[in-house]
Amino acid sequence: MPRIHVIVIVVGFVYLIWRCYYFQQLLAMCEDFQQSQLEHQEINPLVKIVERAPSRSQVSHCTREDGDMCVPPLYTYATKYRIAEKNRLIACAVEKNFSTMLTAILCYLFDERRFLESKRNLTTEVYHQRFCASKNEYSSLTEIEAKVTSSLHDWQKIAVVRDPLEKFASGFADKCLREQTWKKFPNRCNKCKTNLKCFMERQYARLLKRATGVHSPVNFDDDHFSPQNWRCEFSTHLHDFQILHFDSSRPSGFTDSLLAVLKKNNVTERAMHFIKSSIESKRTSHSTKDTVEHNETRRAILSNPHLLDLLIRMYYYDYVLFGYRIPAVQTETNKQ
């Protein structure tokens, strides 16, 4: 047998061994993370944790022959932290995951007096005119630790996650259908305007290339549609975070979870009342809950096997790591 063929066979064999090991390690990480979140629940039953641990059959979904076609997990992507130093609280803001309100809440806690004296309120804060821009905002935990006077070991770190389908539908409905940001910025929405199929195919290709080493400049679409497990430095700090699950259809449970965290970190009753009443009073301008655009996007994905397959390939590890149920892809076989 020619030497080059032997080398190819050996390399292929080593790759298969590595791949099996890699996904077994990922499964162990998921199970370990689930246990750590259960420990949070024992301390505080109001904290909504992962409801359903991924089964081995779920995790094996992306270890099949086409496993390479799933966007890999835990890639290090840009992160946005907001802090309230007096409460030793760090929040990781992820677009379309309650991020506008979360940023406003941390800004309010960062300097309550100036926030109120400036006649600001939580529901009208917007990204480009936010009160705390560059004041309590950081891009890494290392950067925060270099600025504050205490070790981050005792700080509470929270991240908000969301069902991948709901997050995607909210983002597409908000940016491509309602705001139509592509009218002012033609490159946005992957140059697809309102075409959902075009957008999903191009975004999937971008994510896959980025995660496998083919880098292109990060853009607006990447910020809003990258996997959640790429954010918050989860690749190295996942176990440091308390995960809160945002569910726009059942907001009271999420609000209770958030308030429990704030109370634990010595936020005053007056401040918590202000935060709770603000959350319950109205939605932010970017909310798409119950809008025609959101519902139509969601239905379009669930009713189209190709689009649903793309969604799962993009966000498979969000489903697995954060415990969300993976939608069943309808095929000719399971229709019968």
Side-chain angles (χ1 to χ4, degrees):
M1 181 181 294
R3 185 175 180 181
I4 186 65
H5 289 175
V6 174
I7 293 174
V8 170
I9 291 172
V10 170
V11 170
F13 181 68
V14 170
Y15 172 76
L16 288 174
I17 293 175
W18 171 85
R19 190 168 181 80
C20 290
Y21 173 78
Y22 175 80
F23 284 101
Q24 287 299 316
Q25 290 296 103
L26 178 63
L27 177 57
M29 182 180 181
C30 289
E31 292 173 342
D32 192 24
F33 175 64
Q34 298 272 345
Q35 182 59 42
S36 72
Q37 294 297 295
L38 284 170
E39 291 170 0
H40 273 303
Q41 188 185 42
E42 290 171 2
I43 295 171
N44 188 343
L46 288 176
V47 177
K48 186 178 188 301
I49 53 98
V50 175
E51 296 177 337
R52 177 175 175 267
S55 67
R56 290 186 179 271
S57 61
Q58 279 185 305
V59 175
S60 66
H61 177 89
C62 278
T63 64
R64 301 175 308 184
E65 292 180 0
D66 63 347
D68 286 337
M69 302 307 290
C70 291
V71 173
L74 301 175
Y75 175 85
T76 300
Y77 190 82
T79 290
K80 299 175 181 177
Y81 292 120
R82 283 62 171 119
I83 74 167
E85 186 169 3
K86 69 178 183 294
N87 302 107
R88 296 193 175 190
L89 186 63
I90 298 173
C92 178
V94 178
E95 288 82 355
K96 303 311 299 180
N97 288 12
F98 195 70
S99 58
T100 302
M101 180 65 81
L102 188 63
T103 294
I105 290 171
L106 269 290
C107 176
Y108 165 65
L109 295 176
F110 178 73
D111 194 337
E112 295 177 32
R113 181 181 60 80
R114 288 190 63 239
F115 189 90
L116 296 176
E117 286 179 353
S118 299
K119 308 298 182 184
R120 310 291 285 221
N121 66 71
L122 301 182
T123 57
T124 57
E125 287 286 286
V126 293
Y127 183 79
H128 292 292
Q129 297 176 350
R130 60 198 188 280
F131 187 65
C132 287
S134 302
K135 296 175 184 176
N136 71 332
E137 302 178 349
Y138 300 89
S139 59
S140 73
L141 293 173
T142 300
E143 185 184 5
I144 297 173
E145 192 146 36
K147 293 286 186 179
V148 300
T149 58
S150 58
S151 168
L152 298 188
H153 179 73
D154 297 324
W155 284 50
Q156 177 73 64
K157 305 171 188 69
I158 62 172
V160 177
V161 300
R162 188 177 187 181
D163 179 282
L165 172 60
E166 297 301 324
K167 182 182 187 300
F168 180 91
S170 178
F172 186 79
D174 181 32
K175 302 306 177 186
C176 302
L177 301 183
R178 302 183 74 200
E179 287 188 28
Q180 297 189 349
T181 57
W182 44 267
K183 288 184 175 180
K184 185 175 181 180
F185 304 99
N187 286 337
R188 291 188 179 181
C189 296
N190 281 315
K191 300 181 181 179
C192 296
K193 298 183 178 179
T194 61
N195 187 317
L196 178 61
K197 178 176 180 289
C198 169
F199 177 86
M200 293 186 73
E201 289 176 344
R202 291 184 179 180
Q203 190 60 37
Y204 166 67
R206 283 185 61 84
L207 294 176
L208 203 58
K209 286 180 180 179
R210 176 169 295 280
T212 53
V214 182
H215 290 180
S216 57
V218 171
N219 65 17
F220 179 85
D221 296 325
D222 296 333
D223 284 345
H224 286 81
F225 297 96
S226 290
Q228 297 167 78
N229 71 81
W230 285 13
R231 312 303 286 271
C232 309
E233 298 179 280
F234 282 150
S235 61
T236 52
H237 292 280
L238 178 62
H239 291 277
D240 296 332
F241 281 87
Q242 184 165 343
I243 302 298
L244 303 180
H245 290 249
F246 178 66
D247 184 349
S248 60
S249 65
R250 293 181 294 175
S252 61
F254 169 76
T255 302
D256 288 344
S257 298
L258 177 61
L259 292 175
V261 172
L262 299 182
K263 183 175 182 179
K264 179 182 174 182
N265 285 272
N266 301 315
V267 174
T268 65
E269 290 294 333
R270 179 179 59 81
M272 286 200 296
H273 175 74
F274 176 69
I275 292 168
K276 182 179 181 181
S277 61
S278 297
I279 294 174
E280 294 176 346
S281 65
K282 61 179 291 189
R283 304 171 193 163
T284 65
S285 60
H286 294 293
S287 174
T288 63
K289 181 179 181 293
D290 296 330
T291 64
V292 172
E293 295 88 350
H294 179 102
N295 293 337
E296 286 184 350
T297 300
R298 189 177 185 279
R299 280 196 296 269
I301 294 172
L302 289 175
S303 63
N304 186 312
H306 174 61
L307 298 185
L308 185 54
D309 184 61
L310 284 174
L311 182 90
I312 294 171
R313 289 180 186 277
M314 285 193 282
Y315 305 120
Y316 180 78
Y317 293 102
D318 283 346
Y319 279 109
V320 171
L321 193 56
F322 300 122
Y324 291 106
R325 292 184 179 275
I326 300 173
V329 179
Q330 194 79 332
T331 64
E332 291 302 320
T333 301
N334 60 32
K335 280 181 182 178
Q336 298 173 356

